[in-house]
Structures are given as structure tokens and as C-alpha cells.
PDB file of all heavy atoms in Angstrom:
ATOM      1  N   GLN W 198     -77.812 217.659 104.800  1.00  0.00           N
ATOM      2  CA  GLN W 198     -76.930 218.519 104.030  1.00  0.00           C
ATOM      3  C   GLN W 198     -75.517 218.493 104.611  1.00  0.00           C
ATOM      4  O   GLN W 198     -75.331 218.237 105.801  1.00  0.00           O
ATOM      5  CB  GLN W 198     -77.445 219.957 104.025  1.00  0.00           C
ATOM      6  CG  GLN W 198     -78.713 220.162 103.227  1.00  0.00           C
ATOM      7  CD  GLN W 198     -79.097 221.612 103.145  1.00  0.00           C
ATOM      8  OE1 GLN W 198     -78.983 222.343 104.112  1.00  0.00           O
ATOM      9  NE2 GLN W 198     -79.553 222.038 101.983  1.00  0.00           N
ATOM     10  N   ALA W 199     -74.540 218.735 103.757  1.00  0.00           N
ATOM     11  CA  ALA W 199     -73.167 218.846 104.224  1.00  0.00           C
ATOM     12  C   ALA W 199     -73.078 219.874 105.350  1.00  0.00           C
ATOM     13  O   ALA W 199     -73.678 220.950 105.275  1.00  0.00           O
ATOM     14  CB  ALA W 199     -72.258 219.249 103.075  1.00  0.00           C
ATOM     15  N   GLY W 200     -72.317 219.523 106.377  1.00  0.00           N
ATOM     16  CA  GLY W 200     -72.212 220.360 107.548  1.00  0.00           C
ATOM     17  C   GLY W 200     -73.221 220.056 108.633  1.00  0.00           C
ATOM     18  O   GLY W 200     -73.079 220.550 109.756  1.00  0.00           O
ATOM     19  N   GLY W 201     -74.198 219.247 108.317  1.00  0.00           N
ATOM     20  CA  GLY W 201     -75.229 218.891 109.269  1.00  0.00           C
ATOM     21  C   GLY W 201     -74.824 217.742 110.184  1.00  0.00           C
ATOM     22  O   GLY W 201     -73.700 217.237 110.107  1.00  0.00           O
ATOM     23  N   SER W 202     -75.756 217.341 111.031  1.00  0.00           N
ATOM     24  CA  SER W 202     -75.501 216.297 112.030  1.00  0.00           C
ATOM     25  C   SER W 202     -76.592 215.249 111.974  1.00  0.00           C
ATOM     26  O   SER W 202     -77.728 215.507 111.577  1.00  0.00           O
ATOM     27  CB  SER W 202     -75.454 216.898 113.438  1.00  0.00           C
ATOM     28  OG  SER W 202     -74.389 217.821 113.571  1.00  0.00           O
ATOM     29  N   LEU W 203     -76.229 214.057 112.437  1.00  0.00           N
ATOM     30  CA  LEU W 203     -77.159 212.950 112.504  1.00  0.00           C
ATOM     31  C   LEU W 203     -76.659 211.980 113.565  1.00  0.00           C
ATOM     32  O   LEU W 203     -75.459 211.810 113.730  1.00  0.00           O
ATOM     33  CB  LEU W 203     -77.237 212.239 111.156  1.00  0.00           C
ATOM     34  CG  LEU W 203     -78.432 211.356 110.841  1.00  0.00           C
ATOM     35  CD1 LEU W 203     -79.720 212.192 110.785  1.00  0.00           C
ATOM     36  CD2 LEU W 203     -78.219 210.620 109.515  1.00  0.00           C
ATOM     37  N   ARG W 204     -77.592 211.375 114.296  1.00  0.00           N
ATOM     38  CA  ARG W 204     -77.237 210.330 115.246  1.00  0.00           C
ATOM     39  C   ARG W 204     -77.922 209.033 114.847  1.00  0.00           C
ATOM     40  O   ARG W 204     -79.145 208.992 114.704  1.00  0.00           O
ATOM     41  CB  ARG W 204     -77.636 210.692 116.676  1.00  0.00           C
ATOM     42  CG  ARG W 204     -77.106 209.686 117.709  1.00  0.00           C
ATOM     43  CD  ARG W 204     -77.403 210.072 119.126  1.00  0.00           C
ATOM     44  NE  ARG W 204     -78.793 209.844 119.494  1.00  0.00           N
ATOM     45  CZ  ARG W 204     -79.258 209.751 120.735  1.00  0.00           C
ATOM     46  NH1 ARG W 204     -78.407 209.879 121.756  1.00  0.00           N
ATOM     47  NH2 ARG W 204     -80.542 209.574 120.952  1.00  0.00           N
ATOM     48  N   ILE W 205     -77.141 207.991 114.666  1.00  0.00           N
ATOM     49  CA  ILE W 205     -77.689 206.685 114.361  1.00  0.00           C
ATOM     50  C   ILE W 205     -77.512 205.768 115.567  1.00  0.00           C
ATOM     51  O   ILE W 205     -76.632 205.956 116.401  1.00  0.00           O
ATOM     52  CB  ILE W 205     -77.048 206.068 113.099  1.00  0.00           C
ATOM     53  CG1 ILE W 205     -75.525 205.976 113.220  1.00  0.00           C
ATOM     54  CG2 ILE W 205     -77.433 206.880 111.872  1.00  0.00           C
ATOM     55  CD1 ILE W 205     -74.855 205.296 112.032  1.00  0.00           C
ATOM     56  N   SER W 206     -78.376 204.751 115.637  1.00  0.00           N
ATOM     57  CA  SER W 206     -78.428 203.872 116.803  1.00  0.00           C
ATOM     58  C   SER W 206     -78.355 202.415 116.368  1.00  0.00           C
ATOM     59  O   SER W 206     -78.713 202.066 115.250  1.00  0.00           O
ATOM     60  CB  SER W 206     -79.717 204.094 117.583  1.00  0.00           C
ATOM     61  OG  SER W 206     -79.869 205.426 117.997  1.00  0.00           O
ATOM     62  N   CYS W 207     -77.898 201.569 117.289  1.00  0.00           N
ATOM     63  CA  CYS W 207     -77.888 200.133 117.082  1.00  0.00           C
ATOM     64  C   CYS W 207     -78.383 199.471 118.346  1.00  0.00           C
ATOM     65  O   CYS W 207     -77.765 199.622 119.409  1.00  0.00           O
ATOM     66  CB  CYS W 207     -76.482 199.644 116.737  1.00  0.00           C
ATOM     67  SG  CYS W 207     -76.300 197.846 116.703  1.00  0.00           S
ATOM     68  N   ALA W 208     -79.491 198.758 118.250  1.00  0.00           N
ATOM     69  CA  ALA W 208     -80.049 198.025 119.377  1.00  0.00           C
ATOM     70  C   ALA W 208     -79.696 196.552 119.254  1.00  0.00           C
ATOM     71  O   ALA W 208     -79.916 195.938 118.215  1.00  0.00           O
ATOM     72  CB  ALA W 208     -81.566 198.209 119.427  1.00  0.00           C
ATOM     73  N   GLY W 209     -79.161 195.983 120.327  1.00  0.00           N
ATOM     74  CA  GLY W 209     -78.729 194.602 120.321  1.00  0.00           C
ATOM     75  C   GLY W 209     -79.600 193.717 121.205  1.00  0.00           C
ATOM     76  O   GLY W 209     -80.142 194.157 122.205  1.00  0.00           O
ATOM     77  N   SER W 210     -79.701 192.460 120.818  1.00  0.00           N
ATOM     78  CA  SER W 210     -80.387 191.448 121.620  1.00  0.00           C
ATOM     79  C   SER W 210     -79.678 190.114 121.431  1.00  0.00           C
ATOM     80  O   SER W 210     -78.971 189.892 120.446  1.00  0.00           O
ATOM     81  CB  SER W 210     -81.861 191.341 121.251  1.00  0.00           C
ATOM     82  OG  SER W 210     -82.019 190.927 119.898  1.00  0.00           O
ATOM     83  N   GLY W 211     -79.870 189.206 122.383  1.00  0.00           N
ATOM     84  CA  GLY W 211     -79.240 187.896 122.308  1.00  0.00           C
ATOM     85  C   GLY W 211     -77.775 187.892 122.692  1.00  0.00           C
ATOM     86  O   GLY W 211     -77.078 186.895 122.473  1.00  0.00           O
ATOM     87  N   ILE W 212     -77.287 188.988 123.284  1.00  0.00           N
ATOM     88  CA  ILE W 212     -75.910 189.086 123.733  1.00  0.00           C
ATOM     89  C   ILE W 212     -75.891 189.704 125.126  1.00  0.00           C
ATOM     90  O   ILE W 212     -76.859 190.359 125.533  1.00  0.00           O
ATOM     91  CB  ILE W 212     -75.034 189.928 122.782  1.00  0.00           C
ATOM     92  CG1 ILE W 212     -75.591 191.344 122.655  1.00  0.00           C
ATOM     93  CG2 ILE W 212     -74.926 189.255 121.416  1.00  0.00           C
ATOM     94  CD1 ILE W 212     -74.728 192.296 121.864  1.00  0.00           C
ATOM     95  N   ILE W 213     -74.799 189.459 125.840  1.00  0.00           N
ATOM     96  CA  ILE W 213     -74.585 190.192 127.093  1.00  0.00           C
ATOM     97  C   ILE W 213     -73.927 191.494 126.688  1.00  0.00           C
ATOM     98  O   ILE W 213     -72.700 191.600 126.570  1.00  0.00           O
ATOM     99  CB  ILE W 213     -73.716 189.384 128.064  1.00  0.00           C
ATOM    100  CG1 ILE W 213     -74.326 188.009 128.334  1.00  0.00           C
ATOM    101  CG2 ILE W 213     -73.562 190.141 129.384  1.00  0.00           C
ATOM    102  CD1 ILE W 213     -73.480 187.096 129.192  1.00  0.00           C
ATOM    103  N   PHE W 214     -74.746 192.486 126.456  1.00  0.00           N
ATOM    104  CA  PHE W 214     -74.320 193.683 125.766  1.00  0.00           C
ATOM    105  C   PHE W 214     -73.141 194.363 126.447  1.00  0.00           C
ATOM    106  O   PHE W 214     -72.192 194.802 125.784  1.00  0.00           O
ATOM    107  CB  PHE W 214     -75.494 194.666 125.638  1.00  0.00           C
ATOM    108  CG  PHE W 214     -75.257 195.772 124.668  1.00  0.00           C
ATOM    109  CD1 PHE W 214     -75.599 195.627 123.336  1.00  0.00           C
ATOM    110  CD2 PHE W 214     -74.703 196.970 125.087  1.00  0.00           C
ATOM    111  CE1 PHE W 214     -75.396 196.645 122.433  1.00  0.00           C
ATOM    112  CE2 PHE W 214     -74.480 198.005 124.199  1.00  0.00           C
ATOM    113  CZ  PHE W 214     -74.833 197.831 122.861  1.00  0.00           C
ATOM    114  N   ARG W 215     -73.174 194.447 127.767  1.00  0.00           N
ATOM    115  CA  ARG W 215     -72.138 195.174 128.483  1.00  0.00           C
ATOM    116  C   ARG W 215     -70.759 194.542 128.387  1.00  0.00           C
ATOM    117  O   ARG W 215     -69.772 195.205 128.685  1.00  0.00           O
ATOM    118  CB  ARG W 215     -72.536 195.307 129.952  1.00  0.00           C
ATOM    119  CG  ARG W 215     -72.619 193.990 130.705  1.00  0.00           C
ATOM    120  CD  ARG W 215     -73.036 194.206 132.158  1.00  0.00           C
ATOM    121  NE  ARG W 215     -73.201 192.950 132.865  1.00  0.00           N
ATOM    122  CZ  ARG W 215     -72.211 192.272 133.451  1.00  0.00           C
ATOM    123  NH1 ARG W 215     -70.977 192.751 133.421  1.00  0.00           N
ATOM    124  NH2 ARG W 215     -72.458 191.132 134.073  1.00  0.00           N
ATOM    125  N   LEU W 216     -70.680 193.280 127.969  1.00  0.00           N
ATOM    126  CA  LEU W 216     -69.413 192.583 127.855  1.00  0.00           C
ATOM    127  C   LEU W 216     -68.830 192.607 126.445  1.00  0.00           C
ATOM    128  O   LEU W 216     -67.729 192.107 126.225  1.00  0.00           O
ATOM    129  CB  LEU W 216     -69.561 191.131 128.315  1.00  0.00           C
ATOM    130  CG  LEU W 216     -70.008 190.926 129.761  1.00  0.00           C
ATOM    131  CD1 LEU W 216     -70.102 189.442 130.074  1.00  0.00           C
ATOM    132  CD2 LEU W 216     -69.052 191.607 130.716  1.00  0.00           C
ATOM    133  N   ASN W 217     -69.537 193.169 125.506  1.00  0.00           N
ATOM    134  CA  ASN W 217     -69.129 193.151 124.115  1.00  0.00           C
ATOM    135  C   ASN W 217     -68.590 194.488 123.639  1.00  0.00           C
ATOM    136  O   ASN W 217     -69.189 195.541 123.903  1.00  0.00           O
ATOM    137  CB  ASN W 217     -70.287 192.749 123.209  1.00  0.00           C
ATOM    138  CG  ASN W 217     -70.477 191.254 123.153  1.00  0.00           C
ATOM    139  OD1 ASN W 217     -70.835 190.622 124.152  1.00  0.00           O
ATOM    140  ND2 ASN W 217     -70.252 190.695 121.971  1.00  0.00           N
ATOM    141  N   ALA W 218     -67.479 194.434 122.914  1.00  0.00           N
ATOM    142  CA  ALA W 218     -67.064 195.601 122.161  1.00  0.00           C
ATOM    143  C   ALA W 218     -68.006 195.766 120.975  1.00  0.00           C
ATOM    144  O   ALA W 218     -68.435 194.787 120.360  1.00  0.00           O
ATOM    145  CB  ALA W 218     -65.623 195.442 121.667  1.00  0.00           C
ATOM    146  N   MET W 219     -68.346 196.995 120.666  1.00  0.00           N
ATOM    147  CA  MET W 219     -69.254 197.289 119.585  1.00  0.00           C
ATOM    148  C   MET W 219     -68.538 198.148 118.538  1.00  0.00           C
ATOM    149  O   MET W 219     -67.694 198.979 118.893  1.00  0.00           O
ATOM    150  CB  MET W 219     -70.494 198.015 120.076  1.00  0.00           C
ATOM    151  CG  MET W 219     -71.256 197.285 121.174  1.00  0.00           C
ATOM    152  SD  MET W 219     -71.878 195.652 120.678  1.00  0.00           S
ATOM    153  CE  MET W 219     -73.017 196.111 119.350  1.00  0.00           C
ATOM    154  N   ARG W 220     -68.889 197.949 117.287  1.00  0.00           N
ATOM    155  CA  ARG W 220     -68.226 198.642 116.193  1.00  0.00           C
ATOM    156  C   ARG W 220     -69.255 199.198 115.211  1.00  0.00           C
ATOM    157  O   ARG W 220     -70.326 198.632 115.015  1.00  0.00           O
ATOM    158  CB  ARG W 220     -67.286 197.704 115.446  1.00  0.00           C
ATOM    159  CG  ARG W 220     -66.201 197.091 116.312  1.00  0.00           C
ATOM    160  CD  ARG W 220     -65.384 196.063 115.539  1.00  0.00           C
ATOM    161  NE  ARG W 220     -64.308 195.483 116.328  1.00  0.00           N
ATOM    162  CZ  ARG W 220     -64.428 194.422 117.100  1.00  0.00           C
ATOM    163  NH1 ARG W 220     -65.599 193.777 117.193  1.00  0.00           N
ATOM    164  NH2 ARG W 220     -63.386 193.979 117.794  1.00  0.00           N
ATOM    165  N   TRP W 221     -68.882 200.311 114.613  1.00  0.00           N
ATOM    166  CA  TRP W 221     -69.593 200.841 113.460  1.00  0.00           C
ATOM    167  C   TRP W 221     -68.710 200.738 112.236  1.00  0.00           C
ATOM    168  O   TRP W 221     -67.549 201.162 112.264  1.00  0.00           O
ATOM    169  CB  TRP W 221     -69.994 202.298 113.664  1.00  0.00           C
ATOM    170  CG  TRP W 221     -71.166 202.523 114.567  1.00  0.00           C
ATOM    171  CD1 TRP W 221     -71.138 202.934 115.862  1.00  0.00           C
ATOM    172  CD2 TRP W 221     -72.542 202.365 114.220  1.00  0.00           C
ATOM    173  NE1 TRP W 221     -72.414 203.049 116.353  1.00  0.00           N
ATOM    174  CE2 TRP W 221     -73.290 202.698 115.370  1.00  0.00           C
ATOM    175  CE3 TRP W 221     -73.221 201.967 113.062  1.00  0.00           C
ATOM    176  CZ2 TRP W 221     -74.691 202.653 115.393  1.00  0.00           C
ATOM    177  CZ3 TRP W 221     -74.601 201.918 113.081  1.00  0.00           C
ATOM    178  CH2 TRP W 221     -75.316 202.265 114.229  1.00  0.00           C
ATOM    179  N   TYR W 222     -69.231 200.149 111.178  1.00  0.00           N
ATOM    180  CA  TYR W 222     -68.604 200.119 109.874  1.00  0.00           C
ATOM    181  C   TYR W 222     -69.485 200.902 108.893  1.00  0.00           C
ATOM    182  O   TYR W 222     -70.655 201.171 109.156  1.00  0.00           O
ATOM    183  CB  TYR W 222     -68.480 198.689 109.343  1.00  0.00           C
ATOM    184  CG  TYR W 222     -67.422 197.827 109.984  1.00  0.00           C
ATOM    185  CD1 TYR W 222     -67.604 197.260 111.241  1.00  0.00           C
ATOM    186  CD2 TYR W 222     -66.226 197.556 109.316  1.00  0.00           C
ATOM    187  CE1 TYR W 222     -66.641 196.460 111.828  1.00  0.00           C
ATOM    188  CE2 TYR W 222     -65.256 196.749 109.883  1.00  0.00           C
ATOM    189  CZ  TYR W 222     -65.467 196.193 111.137  1.00  0.00           C
ATOM    190  OH  TYR W 222     -64.516 195.385 111.695  1.00  0.00           O
ATOM    191  N   ARG W 223     -68.895 201.243 107.762  1.00  0.00           N
ATOM    192  CA  ARG W 223     -69.687 201.846 106.699  1.00  0.00           C
ATOM    193  C   ARG W 223     -69.181 201.320 105.353  1.00  0.00           C
ATOM    194  O   ARG W 223     -68.031 200.925 105.204  1.00  0.00           O
ATOM    195  CB  ARG W 223     -69.640 203.362 106.728  1.00  0.00           C
ATOM    196  CG  ARG W 223     -68.290 203.983 106.410  1.00  0.00           C
ATOM    197  CD  ARG W 223     -68.353 205.493 106.593  1.00  0.00           C
ATOM    198  NE  ARG W 223     -67.081 206.137 106.257  1.00  0.00           N
ATOM    199  CZ  ARG W 223     -66.825 207.413 106.459  1.00  0.00           C
ATOM    200  NH1 ARG W 223     -67.748 208.215 106.991  1.00  0.00           N
ATOM    201  NH2 ARG W 223     -65.637 207.914 106.111  1.00  0.00           N
ATOM    202  N   GLN W 224     -70.076 201.337 104.387  1.00  0.00           N
ATOM    203  CA  GLN W 224     -69.729 200.917 103.049  1.00  0.00           C
ATOM    204  C   GLN W 224     -70.406 201.811 102.030  1.00  0.00           C
ATOM    205  O   GLN W 224     -71.637 201.899 101.997  1.00  0.00           O
ATOM    206  CB  GLN W 224     -70.127 199.458 102.803  1.00  0.00           C
ATOM    207  CG  GLN W 224     -69.621 198.896 101.494  1.00  0.00           C
ATOM    208  CD  GLN W 224     -69.767 197.391 101.424  1.00  0.00           C
ATOM    209  OE1 GLN W 224     -70.603 196.796 102.064  1.00  0.00           O
ATOM    210  NE2 GLN W 224     -68.904 196.751 100.631  1.00  0.00           N
ATOM    211  N   ALA W 225     -69.602 202.473 101.223  1.00  0.00           N
ATOM    212  CA  ALA W 225     -70.103 203.304 100.145  1.00  0.00           C
ATOM    213  C   ALA W 225     -70.170 202.480  98.872  1.00  0.00           C
ATOM    214  O   ALA W 225     -69.460 201.469  98.729  1.00  0.00           O
ATOM    215  CB  ALA W 225     -69.203 204.515  99.952  1.00  0.00           C
ATOM    216  N   PRO W 226     -71.001 202.878  97.921  1.00  0.00           N
ATOM    217  CA  PRO W 226     -71.109 202.110  96.660  1.00  0.00           C
ATOM    218  C   PRO W 226     -69.760 201.951  95.974  1.00  0.00           C
ATOM    219  O   PRO W 226     -69.013 202.923  95.817  1.00  0.00           O
ATOM    220  CB  PRO W 226     -72.061 202.969  95.823  1.00  0.00           C
ATOM    221  CG  PRO W 226     -72.891 203.694  96.829  1.00  0.00           C
ATOM    222  CD  PRO W 226     -71.945 203.993  97.959  1.00  0.00           C
ATOM    223  N   GLY W 227     -69.435 200.724  95.598  1.00  0.00           N
ATOM    224  CA  GLY W 227     -68.205 200.448  94.887  1.00  0.00           C
ATOM    225  C   GLY W 227     -66.957 200.421  95.750  1.00  0.00           C
ATOM    226  O   GLY W 227     -65.854 200.280  95.217  1.00  0.00           O
TER     227      GLY W 227
END
């Protein structure tokens, strides 16, 4: 619901994770 909270996660493999910048993008319909 509006006003609520959520935590999303991203697990990586095949990379040296600590050396990489990480990004979150989003895409809404249209």
C-alpha cells in the first residue's frame, strides 16, 4: 500500500562483486 515499505535484493555471481559499482533501474509500463 502507498506509504508502506519494501526491501528488494540483487544477488550476483560471475563477477568480483566488491570491485563493481551496482545500480538499480526501474521501468513502468509505457
Side-chain angles (χ1 to χ4, degrees):
Q198 290 186 320
S202 297
L203 199 65
R204 187 176 75 161
I205 56 176
S206 303
C207 172
S210 62
I212 60 174
I213 305 175
F214 194 89
R215 64 181 176 85
L216 300 180
N217 278 66
M219 304 299 298
R220 302 174 178 88
W221 284 102
Y222 286 77
R223 68 185 181 187
Q224 188 167 27

